[in-house]
Amino acid sequence: MAIAASSDPVAAGTLAPKHERGRRRVQAIMSAAMDVFAEKGFDAATMTEIAARSGTAVGSLYRFFSSKEALADALLLRYTQHAEQGLEEIKRQLPGLSAESVAGLLVDFMVALQAQRRYALVLLDARGGSGDRRVQFRRAIRSGLAAILRKVSDTLTPARARAMAPVLLHLLKGVALARDEEPAVQASLTGEIRELVRLYLLSVR
């Protein structure tokens, strides 16, 4: 399952493009920035290299993003939006689905999210300050998972759902470990994680 695309993030120091050409340019810049930040870290990354990789003149890049910090914040905003929208999309599909199907959707969601995880961790460390951004992101994910759990079982209390959400999240985080394995082992581990999630979901039905 692909994480739902959001509209262009609007953070402090950014200019939301009004035309399709501008939106394509912003997407190219952000895609290049993801790669550069993931490869070099926040401090070593430069706006000049991001502009070069995206095929954008440096002046045009600064027209959309006033600074490297503004670009990083826009990427973190988009990462959070994608995660929240992905969980909301799963919740909308829930009525009538089996525990196996829900487990599959959740694992697919995490696989899609992992594609962006490397740059996001770099930026969360660099731009997180006291850790507020990381805490906010974790809360958003746990809140989305708690809402899904309550959809899975309408008898589950809000307090119980909130208690179960972190456990479910830790099960799903195993997807990140599977990415470092050989393809055959990766598929096996992902399947095991899906089965664990399925059993956990069955425990609340």
Side-chain angles (χ1 to χ4, degrees), residues 95-196:
L97 289 183
S98 66
E100 182 177 5
S101 295
V102 178
L105 288 173
L106 287 169
V107 169
D108 289 347
F109 161 77
M110 287 301 292
V111 170
L113 197 63
Q114 290 306 309
Q116 303 179 56
R117 187 170 184 267
R118 187 179 172 199
Y119 87 82
L121 289 178
V122 167
L123 297 183
L124 281 169
D125 287 338
R127 301 289 295 150
S130 62
D132 286 348
R133 292 174 189 272
R134 194 182 292 271
V135 170
Q136 289 169 3
F137 179 76
R138 190 183 301 120
R139 283 176 179 167
I141 295 297
R142 289 181 179 181
S143 176
L145 290 174
I148 287 170
L149 286 166
R150 294 200 69 201
K151 279 282 189 177
V152 169
S153 173
D154 55 12
T155 62
L156 200 64
T157 66
R160 178 64 176 157
R162 287 194 300 271
M164 294 182 69
V167 179
L168 180 55
L169 178 57
H170 280 290
L171 287 175
L172 291 168
K173 282 182 177 179
V175 170
L177 300 177
R179 289 193 70 197
D180 297 328
E181 301 290 344
E182 296 292 327
V185 177
Q186 184 179 119
S188 177
L189 283 175
T190 302
E192 290 297 317
I193 293 165
R194 184 180 289 109
E195 177 63 10
L196 286 171

Side-chain angles (χ1 to χ4, degrees), residues 55-71:
T56 304
V58 173
S60 294
L61 188 155
Y62 277 107
R63 185 164 64 87
F64 292 112
F65 301 97
S66 63
S67 64
K68 185 170 68 170
E69 289 77 12
L71 176 52

